[in-house]
Amino acid sequence: MNVPIKPRSTKASETMGFRYGDEQITFKRVKRPQATGKVLIKVYPDCRVVASAPEDADSEAILWAVKKRGRWIYEQLRDFRKQLEFTSPRQYISGESHYYLGKQYLLKVIEAPEQVQGVKLLRGKLEVSVRAKSTEKVKALLTDWYKARAKEIFAKRLDAMLEQALWVEERPQLRILTMQTQWGSCSPNGRITLNPYLVKAHRDCIDYVILHELCHIAEHNHSERFYRLMNQVMPKWEKTKERLDSMAFALLPDAF
C-alpha cells in the first residue's frame, strides 16, 4: 500500500511500533530505493512488517502512515500466524507432498548407488534418485529441477503474456533468481526477474506475476495507471494474488 508522507530528515533504518487493540505491532523502517515520497508497507508470511520510505522521510509521518493501515496489518498477521501453526519443516523424505504447477505430487526418494542422481516426474510422483540418502542432497536436486523447469515454463508464459501486453515493444530479458520476499520484480531498464519456486503454483498465478511485472515496464510504481493496466489484462487478478499469497508456505522451501 502506498501512502503519501511529508518528507523530512531522519534515520535511514530503525525499528518502530504502535499498539493496535490489544497487540503491540512492531515494524522495521527501511530505505526505499527510487523513492517517490510514499511509504510502501508489506507484511511477510513470517510475520515481519516492513515499511519502505525515502531516506529523508520523517519518522512521525511514517508511523502515522503505518498506523492508518493498522487493521489491514493486524488481519495479515492473524492470517499468517494461522498458517504457521500448521506448517512443519520439510524433511525431504519419501511420502512428503511437493507442488508443481499447482498440483501436489508425492516425493519418492530412491537410493541407487549406481544410477545417475536426478529428479523425474513419473506416474504422479516426484522421484529423486540419490547414491546415498541425504536431506541436503535431495533438497539440492529438487531445487535444481525446479529451477530448470522454471526457466523453460516462464519463458513460454512470458511469450504468451506478451500477446496481451501491447505496450511492450521488445521482449524483456528474463532472469530466474531465488528471492526471499518476492515472486517477481522488474528493473528500471525492463528486465524481469522471477522466483523459480513460482513454478510450483498454478499457471494462472504464474501469468499474474508475469503480467504484474510487464505492467511495471509501463508504470514502475503502483499508480492508478498501473492498476488500470492490470485490470485490463487480468480483470480478476486480485483473487489470483490472494490464492498465490495464501500458498506461500506450501510453495517455498523455507518461510519468507
Side-chain angles (χ1 to χ4, degrees), residues 72-140:
W72 175 80
I73 294 170
Y74 179 86
E75 291 174 348
Q76 291 287 299
L77 289 172
R78 179 194 60 196
D79 292 343
F80 283 136
R81 284 167 183 158
K82 286 181 180 178
Q83 292 183 35
L84 282 170
E85 290 178 6
F86 300 99
T87 302
S88 58
R90 291 183 176 86
Q91 300 179 51
Y92 295 92
I93 57 177
S94 294
E96 279 187 342
S97 178
H98 290 255
Y99 281 88
Y100 175 61
L101 291 179
K103 296 181 180 180
Q104 287 182 286
Y105 295 90
L106 285 179
L107 179 65
K108 183 178 181 181
V109 180
I110 302 172
E111 189 172 18
E114 305 301 323
Q115 291 187 15
V116 177
Q117 299 185 114
V119 180
K120 294 180 180 179
L121 185 60
L122 295 172
R123 296 179 292 276
K125 294 181 181 179
L126 276 170
E127 294 188 359
V128 182
S129 297
V130 291
R131 295 190 182 95
K133 289 185 178 180
S134 161
T135 297
E136 291 74 18
K137 187 60 181 178
V138 173
K139 180 178 179 180

Side-chain angles (χ1 to χ4, degrees), residues 146-207:
Y146 277 122
K147 286 181 178 179
R149 299 302 300 148
K151 184 177 180 180
E152 177 183 341
I153 290 170
F154 293 169
K156 291 180 179 178
R157 298 316 304 161
L158 174 60
D159 289 338
M161 294 304 99
L162 282 171
E163 295 180 6
Q164 301 181 50
L166 302 180
W167 60 89
V168 180
E169 297 179 357
E170 296 183 3
R171 188 182 193 276
Q173 181 184 353
L174 179 61
R175 179 176 65 158
I176 310 299
L177 179 68
T178 301
M179 296 177 282
Q180 294 300 310
T181 60
Q182 292 175 292
W183 292 116
S185 66
C186 180
S187 69
N189 62 6
R191 180 180 66 183
I192 292 177
T193 301
L194 297 177
N195 193 323
Y197 293 109
L198 180 61
V199 80
K200 295 185 178 185
H202 291 268
R203 194 184 73 176
D204 59 344
C205 294
I206 297 172
D207 291 350

